[in-house]
Amino acid sequence: MYRYDEFDHQVVRERVAEFSDQVARRLSGDLSEEQFRPLRLMNGVYLQLHAYMLRVAVPYGELTSGKMRRLAHIARVYDRGYGHFTTRQNIQFNWPKLSDIPAILRELAEVEMHAIQTSGNCIRNVTTDAFAGVAADEIEDPRPWAEVLRQWSTFHPEFTYLPRKFKIAISGGAQDRAATFFHDIGIRLVRAESGDVGFQIIVGGGMGRTPRVGRVLNGFVAKSEILSYLEAILRVYNLHGRRDNKYKARIKILVDALTLEGFRAEVDAEWDRIRGSVVEVPAEEVERIGAYFADPDWQALADNPPELAAARSRSAAFNGWVSANVMAHRVPGYAAVTVSLKPVGGIPGDATADQMDALADFADRYSLGALRVSKEQNIVLPFVRQDQLYALWQALVAEGLATANKGLISDIIACPGLDYCALANARSIPLAQMISERFSDIARQHDIGEVTLNISGCINACGHHHVGNIGILGVDKRGEESYQLVLGGDATQTAAIGDIAGPGFTAEGVVDAIETVIGVYLAQRQTGEPFIDTYRRIGLTPFKEAINAAR
């Protein structure tokens, strides 16, 4: 992964020193909370319901074992012994003292981490596929380009105060595992008929109050011109984006207002003006950054070695874990492993300091020291030898990290909700725990098969409820928590926004409604057909009728 150069170190040191002074002035009373707010937001510090929260950047989800150990240390020393991994591939600490945050930032800087671009109306942490560089369907590894985008966007003088926060995702595979159609800008590596590799640019996607599936703005942009093209998009947005109404400030609203064709014309005109300028990507710089993401020294190993096959036949629990949590690797004899942070009754995305230390140890022992954070709020070990999978599984079992539910109904994405967030209308965490417990039978989960379930505690959609195959939105209904059910969402390359299934439910009622939905699916599915395909074949009506009958 990328390593800081002298400039990176200097930038982060200066930012920590600057914020340390701002915190001191806030604590002394020289700054009011209102004056302090824009300053803390630029450093990833939020004021939630009960305490300050610090969001730490994990650029494109990449961690080393050393970084993970430092996160564990911070959780243990400065927080309440845990951290929360997010859909933006970051980590949040929910209980730090404001007076301790400068010390935390200094500790992060020692291991090349920071909280820059995790908040504010800037270009946020660029995300990508947690299986980047190892997935068999990749055209190219997108991580070097994610790093190029990070360097371009960090402290960009023109885009530090955008009309609203701005999110970019990049994917390199045929399977879109980065939700590129639900970002302000989505980028997909594509191969032209000539054989050249470039970028498809998607614009105007997003969730929240006005969910939109992104639209293809340009089918092919050459690698050398990617920054100038993105700069043209950002300039058009910065100029025309609504600053008078935060609910209409996102680029998706601007694309709606101008139409896709009108927006494209504005971008093309700006692009023509700036092409060939200093924002072109020098080939030698791409090569320099790409060298940090070079392949490890792979060993010549056999696929599906006898010891793996024997262990799978010997242990049903191990076999189920391999089936659910182990992904095929592009290199024979290796595997990419998802470590679920969704135990039965657990809080999605939470990991204790002890678990983070254990994950760092497992990364050193089994994954060449590498870890990834996934947008599903899990951890990925990308470089595991297949003949060591059983030993890894046993180690995970001992730490309570071997839940075999990746992609299954209890692999729930959930925001912190009303337990933490000042914007939330309803609790997400207790509901996720109730659903997890209702569907705790792992054999039943495997029988149900692949289905995504997402929960948001308010319309801001931090839990991505719009794109869950089953989505839940918490709302305030006359002072009471109510939960709206949506069905048929999809965050992949066949992107879709879910359909509202009817009036809201209580927490207990929405769990029963999910049970009804699964019953309809099991009765209607064809052999080997996942939930989303059944839903698209039969539509909302059978589900809605069954839900209403069960009410």
Side-chain angles (χ1 to χ4, degrees):
M1 63 185 293
Y2 179 75
R3 299 287 185 270
Y4 278 16
D5 59 19
E6 184 179 348
F7 178 76
D8 294 314
H9 282 291
Q10 179 182 344
V11 162
V12 174
R13 281 196 305 269
E14 290 175 355
R15 171 55 73 92
V16 172
E18 177 186 66
F19 189 57
S20 297
D21 178 64
Q22 292 164 351
V23 169
R25 286 188 285 146
R26 173 70 189 106
L27 292 172
S28 70
D30 289 345
L31 289 175
S32 68
E33 180 57 39
E34 184 179 357
Q35 292 170 321
F36 184 54
R37 182 177 182 274
L39 304 176
R40 63 172 168 79
L41 288 176
M42 290 182 69
N43 292 277
V45 181
Y46 287 77
L47 182 57
Q48 296 200 302
L49 275 178
H50 311 292
Y52 286 103
M53 177 268 281
L54 174 65
R55 182 181 294 146
V56 177
V58 184
Y60 37 92
E62 285 268 313
L63 285 171
T64 62
S65 56
K67 292 174 192 280
M68 184 66 95
R69 288 192 184 92
R70 184 57 57 93
L71 296 176
H73 166 77
I74 288 168
R76 189 176 288 116
V77 173
Y78 299 103
D79 206 284
R80 296 187 177 179
Y82 71 95
H84 176 73
F85 290 97
T86 76
T87 57
R88 195 116 209 103
Q89 298 181 298
N90 293 321
I91 184 171
Q92 294 178 179
F93 294 106
N94 289 313
W95 300 100
K97 295 176 183 177
L98 180 59
S99 58
D100 285 338
I101 290 178
I104 295 172
L105 294 178
R106 284 191 289 270
E107 294 223 25
L108 289 170
E110 290 174 358
V111 293
E112 302 185 357
M113 297 187 76
H114 57 73
I116 299 164
Q117 287 181 279
T118 63
S119 184
N121 292 339
C122 62
I123 298 171
R124 297 287 184 91
N125 185 35
V126 176
T127 58
T128 191
D129 180 5
F131 300 97
V134 301
D137 67 338
E138 265 187 356
I139 294 172
E140 279 186 14
D141 186 347
R143 292 175 301 159
W145 291 102
E147 175 59 26
V148 168
L149 297 180
R150 186 194 70 81
Q151 295 193 20
W152 162 74
S153 64
T154 300
F155 302 144
H156 194 302
E158 192 171 353
F159 308 138
T160 300
Y161 297 99
L162 292 166
R164 204 64 177 87
K165 59 185 176 182
F166 202 92
K167 298 179 180 180
I168 299 175
I170 180 169
S171 176
Q175 179 79 12
D176 183 1
R177 290 175 289 268
T180 56
F181 282 91
F182 292 99
H183 282 72
D184 296 290
I185 294 176
I187 305 171
R188 300 189 71 190
L189 280 152
V190 293
R191 191 182 303 277
E193 291 184 5
S194 64
D196 293 336
V197 174
F199 301 99
Q200 179 192 68
I201 307 298
I202 301 155
V203 71
M207 291 178 250
R209 196 172 297 270
T210 49
R212 293 286 186 275
V213 176
R215 287 158 277 185
V216 176
L217 186 67
N218 193 317
F220 189 89
V221 175
K223 289 180 176 180
S224 63
E225 296 190 305
I226 183 60
L227 293 190
S228 63
Y229 193 74
L230 296 185
E231 188 127 336
I233 294 173
L234 265 297
R235 286 185 176 190
V236 171
Y237 170 58
N238 208 13
L239 180 64
H240 297 295
R242 295 280 297 270
R243 296 178 185 271
D244 61 322
N245 186 332
K246 70 177 182 178
Y247 302 117
K248 297 182 179 181
R250 299 296 287 269
I251 195 173
K252 60 190 175 184
I253 305 300
L254 179 60
V255 175
D256 284 349
L258 295 178
T259 74
L260 181 64
E261 293 72 24
F263 185 81
R264 182 183 289 121
E266 292 267 0
V267 170
D268 285 348
E270 181 64 20
W271 194 31
D272 286 342
R273 194 179 71 80
I274 66 175
R275 289 171 88 170
S277 72
V278 294
V279 294
E280 298 306 306
V281 187
E284 61 272 16
E285 180 64 7
V286 176
E287 184 177 350
R288 183 189 74 84
I289 291 173
Y292 287 104
F293 301 92
D295 278 353
D297 293 328
W298 304 115
Q299 298 185 39
L301 301 171
D303 245 0
N304 194 30
E307 50 267 58
L308 173 59
R312 295 188 70 173
S313 63
R314 186 172 63 246
S315 170
F318 173 65
N319 183 59
W321 178 79
V322 171
S323 298
N325 290 41
V326 176
M327 178 179 169
H329 204 286
R330 67 178 177 84
V331 178
Y334 285 85
V337 171
T338 294
V339 180
S340 172
L341 298 182
K342 321 287 178 60
V344 173
I347 299 174
D350 276 13
T352 67
D354 289 346
Q355 287 175 327
M356 284 189 264
D357 275 334
L359 286 167
D361 291 343
F362 301 156
D364 282 337
R365 201 180 311 162
Y366 300 110
S367 185
L368 306 179
L371 310 98
R372 314 271 178 85
V373 183
S374 77
K375 69 177 178 62
E376 291 79 18
Q377 301 174 280
N378 292 317
I379 300 297
V380 172
L381 299 174
F383 305 132
V384 181
R385 288 172 52 139
Q386 292 178 13
D387 59 6
Q388 295 181 340
L389 283 170
Y390 185 71
L392 170 60
W393 174 74
Q394 288 180 306
L396 291 170
V397 169
E399 296 294 333
L401 291 168
T403 308
N405 65 343
K406 178 184 179 292
L408 304 181
I409 195 166
S410 69
D411 187 11
I412 299 167
I413 291 175
C415 71
L418 195 54
D419 286 304
Y420 295 96
C421 183
L423 301 176
N425 298 315
R427 291 171 294 172
S428 301
I429 291 170
L431 181 57
Q433 292 170 314
M434 290 168 63
I435 295 169
S436 170
E437 288 163 355
R438 175 69 68 91
F439 293 92
S440 60
D441 184 339
I442 197 68
R444 184 184 180 209
Q445 289 190 55
H446 281 263
D447 178 55
I448 294 168
E450 182 182 346
V451 58
T452 59
L453 198 156
N454 299 16
I455 307 171
S456 297
C458 78
I459 196 63
N460 290 304
C462 295
H464 298 183
H465 67 276
H466 293 296
V467 298
N469 299 163
I470 301 172
I472 303 169
L473 167 63
V475 298
D476 183 331
K477 189 174 183 180
R478 295 186 292 275
E480 298 290 333
E481 294 176 56
S482 180
Y483 295 91
Q484 189 178 80
L485 189 64
V486 297
L487 301 175
D490 181 4
T492 72
Q493 67 279 1
T494 52
I497 294 166
D499 305 309
I500 298 173
F505 297 87
T506 63
E508 295 78 7
V510 80
V511 178
D512 290 338
I514 292 168
E515 187 80 68
T516 300
V517 166
I518 293 301
V520 172
Y521 161 61
L522 294 176
Q524 295 283 346
R525 70 179 175 183
Q526 296 177 351
T527 303
E529 188 176 49
F531 178 91
I532 190 63
D533 290 350
T534 300
Y535 182 84
R536 286 175 172 157
R537 179 170 54 80
I538 69 176
L540 174 63
T541 301
F543 295 96
K544 196 170 183 177
E545 288 175 347
I547 291 168
N548 290 336
R551 278 181 187 270

